[in-house]
């Protein structure tokens, strides 16, 4: 009984620390591409981040208008641009109606 309790506690501790070790921020671009990163700063025009693999390396920046949302390591999500999915062969942005290229 005591041995099972100790194993359970050890499993909880290991899973807690492993989830922290692999926690990362994910930038979801308007194109659907995801960038695994560590967000350093979000300002009115840019998101500054580092590569997840090389967090002590180069800082990169991307325009906020290119990013749909940020999934933070703590589980929160910040939606920056609401992208409306459209069917293939069409174009849509916030300033125009859907335009079909195949008509």
């Amino acid at each position: 009984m005591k041995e099972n309790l100790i194993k359970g506690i050890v499993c909880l501790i290991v899973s807690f620390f492993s989830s922290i070790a692999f926690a990362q921020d994910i930038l979801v671009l308007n194109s659907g591409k995801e960038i695994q990163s560590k967000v350093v700063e979000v300002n009115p025009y840019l998101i500054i981040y580092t590569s997840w693999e090389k967090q002590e390396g180069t800082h990169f920046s991307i325009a906020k208008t290119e990013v749909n949302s940020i999934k933070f390591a703590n589980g929160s999500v910040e939606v920056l641009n609401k992208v409306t999915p459209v069917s293939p062969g069409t174009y849509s942005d916030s300033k125009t109606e859907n335009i079909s290229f195949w008509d």
Side-chain angles (χ1 to χ4, degrees):
M1 171 89 173
K2 188 175 183 180
E3 187 176 308
N4 286 339
L5 179 62
I6 292 172
K7 285 182 184 179
I9 292 171
V10 169
C11 286
L12 284 174
I13 292 170
V14 169
S15 65
F16 174 75
F17 284 110
S18 65
S19 67
I20 290 174
F22 294 107
Q24 59 197 342
D25 301 327
I26 300 174
L27 300 175
V28 181
L29 305 184
N30 293 333
S31 67
K33 178 181 175 185
E34 293 187 353
I35 300 174
Q36 296 178 349
S37 63
K38 174 64 181 158
V39 174
V40 176
E41 178 185 345
V42 179
N43 67 42
Y45 305 102
L46 295 173
I47 298 168
I48 300 169
Y49 65 96
T50 61
S51 168
W52 178 249
E53 292 81 25
K54 298 179 183 176
Q55 292 185 25
E56 301 301 321
T58 306
H59 284 82
F60 300 96
S61 63
I62 188 168
K64 283 179 77 174
T65 57
E66 297 294 318
V67 179
N68 176 273
S69 61
I70 305 171
K71 298 177 187 176
F72 290 100
N74 66 4
S76 65
V77 176
E78 182 176 345
V79 177
L80 304 172
N81 297 304
K82 293 187 178 183
V83 176
T84 306
V86 294
S87 60
T90 61
Y91 171 80
S92 178
D93 66 21
S94 60
K95 299 174 187 160
T96 62
E97 296 291 324
N98 288 348
I99 302 169
S100 178
F101 294 109
W102 307 111
D103 286 338

